[in-house]
Amino acid sequence: MRTDIFARLDREPEPPKIETPRMSRHRIALFGGTLAFYVAIVVAVLMSSWLVTLDWKVMLFRPYQQWPGIHAFLDYYVVLGQRGPTAVMVACWLGWRSWRQHTLRPLLTLGASLLLLNVTVGAVKIGLGRLGPHYATQIGSAELFAGGDIFPSGHTANAVVTWGILAYLAATPRARRYLSAMSAIVSLGVGLTTVYLGTHWLSDVVLGWAAGLLILLGLPWVEPLITRAENWIFAARERLGARGGAPAPAPVAADTPRPVPAAVPAVGEAAAQSEAREPVGASGPPTAVVTAVTGRPRAHSTPPAHQGHPARSERTPVTPAGSRRPPHADRTPRGGTAPARPVAGG
């Protein structure tokens, strides 16, 4: 029995009305405060201040030796900050949302945020060139401009952006709160895990948090470009469909009988059949016969009889075979009784 539940499942889902975040005053204030904090961390490391001293204390403490029991677990947990695996997982979820909501905004927003992450964080990494704790050469030094690429922490910034984009694209305020808390916990854990493993300084992780938060706070400025890109993609798809889309043939039902093409006889067979059907000596207009080779009609008729000679059907029957002499009226055919002759001489 069909119910309303199955009817709702069969109906095409309608895209929810999701409000695009705007750059409100509160958001602009947060962006400005985070940017100031970001610059302060960079300046503190450049000046080899107390923050660099704290980095060395945590590094020499060697947390991975103090708590070796959680090392194996944290080796897997830190994968939540790697760009490749996390981007694939989040892209699968957002791709499903894009298909259900008939919009490309989730995927385009993820792509724009990752692009901004690579450009901004990558530029600072290469520009400052800080070495990691395992490659440090001088105790107490900031290890800047030495060809490294760990400042800020890419794992931490990627965790903030990748998991925070789920909260940014949430459809309801309640979902946005829960996802914001989840992304904060995951990114905080990933950053501290890199410090535990000794792959990053503590200041690297702090700057990575700030870098990821700046990208999330500044995404509303990129929303107009995302909308234009989505409209352009849909318009290009419609143009391609209209240009190369030929009308498909109408489907034929399985039970509908299909016409069987008539067999076309060969040239010799067609001529023989036409001669067999046409009476000999018949007079009349020429009969149109279609040849099997060219498919064009040709005029075909019996040649006229010679003048002064009767037709074949009007001639006398031919003498039976075996007798070359003409028939005589006074001869008796074989098997008949001869007439009586008069006897001469009485």
Side-chain angles (χ1 to χ4, degrees):
M1 181 176 179
R2 191 175 182 85
T3 61
D4 294 338
I5 298 178
F6 294 102
R8 292 179 181 177
L9 290 176
D10 293 341
R11 188 174 57 187
E12 189 71 16
E14 298 179 358
K17 296 180 180 179
I18 303 176
E19 295 183 0
T20 304
R22 299 179 180 180
M23 290 300 294
S24 59
R25 293 182 179 179
H26 179 69
R27 200 178 191 94
I28 293 176
L30 287 177
F31 184 86
T34 306
L35 181 60
F37 180 76
Y38 185 95
V39 174
I41 296 298
V42 174
V43 173
V45 174
L46 287 173
M47 296 179 62
S48 298
S49 62
W50 61 270
L51 187 58
V52 176
T53 304
L54 181 62
D55 288 340
W56 276 99
K57 289 182 177 180
V58 174
M59 180 264 185
L60 295 175
F61 181 69
R62 305 195 195 291
Y64 58 89
Q65 292 182 355
Q66 302 295 329
W67 303 285
I70 59 176
H71 195 288
F73 169 75
L74 293 181
D75 276 339
Y76 290 100
Y77 182 81
V78 79
V79 178
L80 295 177
Q82 290 184 359
R83 189 163 306 149
T86 56
V88 170
M89 288 186 291
V90 175
C92 291
W93 167 253
L94 295 181
W96 182 82
R97 278 191 57 183
S98 296
W99 176 72
R100 292 283 294 179
Q101 298 174 2
H102 306 281
T103 178
L104 293 177
R105 180 174 172 264
L107 286 177
L108 292 177
T109 305
L110 175 64
S113 62
L114 292 180
L115 180 61
L116 291 174
L117 176 68
N118 291 333
V119 172
T120 56
V121 175
V124 177
K125 279 176 173 287
I126 297 174
L128 295 179
R130 191 180 190 185
L131 293 176
H134 293 305
Y135 302 97
T137 57
Q138 184 179 357
I139 297 178
S141 172
E143 302 293 339
L144 294 173
F145 310 109
D149 57 351
I150 65 161
F151 184 69
S153 172
H155 275 69
T156 306
N158 184 74
V160 173
V161 172
T162 307
W163 301 110
I165 204 70
L166 299 179
Y168 178 83
L169 295 172
T172 61
R174 182 178 182 182
R176 186 176 293 110
R177 287 193 298 268
Y178 287 152
L179 291 174
S180 298
M182 183 204 69
S183 62
I185 293 173
V186 172
S187 58
L188 181 65
V190 169
L192 294 179
T193 299
T194 58
V195 175
Y196 168 86
L197 296 175
T199 57
H200 279 287
W201 305 98
L202 181 60
S203 58
D204 299 342
V205 174
V206 176
L207 194 65
W209 286 331
L213 187 58
L214 282 175
I215 294 175
L216 290 179
L217 291 174
L219 274 179
W221 282 327
V222 192
E223 285 291 343
L225 296 177
I226 295 175
T227 303
R228 292 179 184 177
E230 182 181 12
N231 295 335
W232 182 84
I233 291 174
F234 283 135
R237 186 187 66 174
E238 293 178 359
R239 287 195 302 268
L240 291 177
R243 183 183 305 175
V252 180
D255 300 334
T256 305
R258 297 183 178 180
V260 180
V264 180
V267 179
E269 296 179 1
Q273 293 176 5
S274 62
E275 292 178 359
R277 289 194 300 265
E278 186 176 351
V280 180
S283 60
T287 307
V289 179
V290 180
T291 60
V293 178
T294 61
R296 294 179 297 179
R298 62 181 176 85
H300 178 77
S301 61
T302 305
H306 296 283
Q307 296 180 358
H309 297 278
R312 186 172 184 180
S313 59
E314 299 176 359
R315 297 176 185 175
T316 57
V318 182
T319 306
S323 175
R324 295 187 180 182
R325 293 176 294 179
H328 297 279
D330 57 346
R331 290 179 65 95
T332 305
R334 294 183 181 182
T337 305
R341 296 183 179 180
V343 179

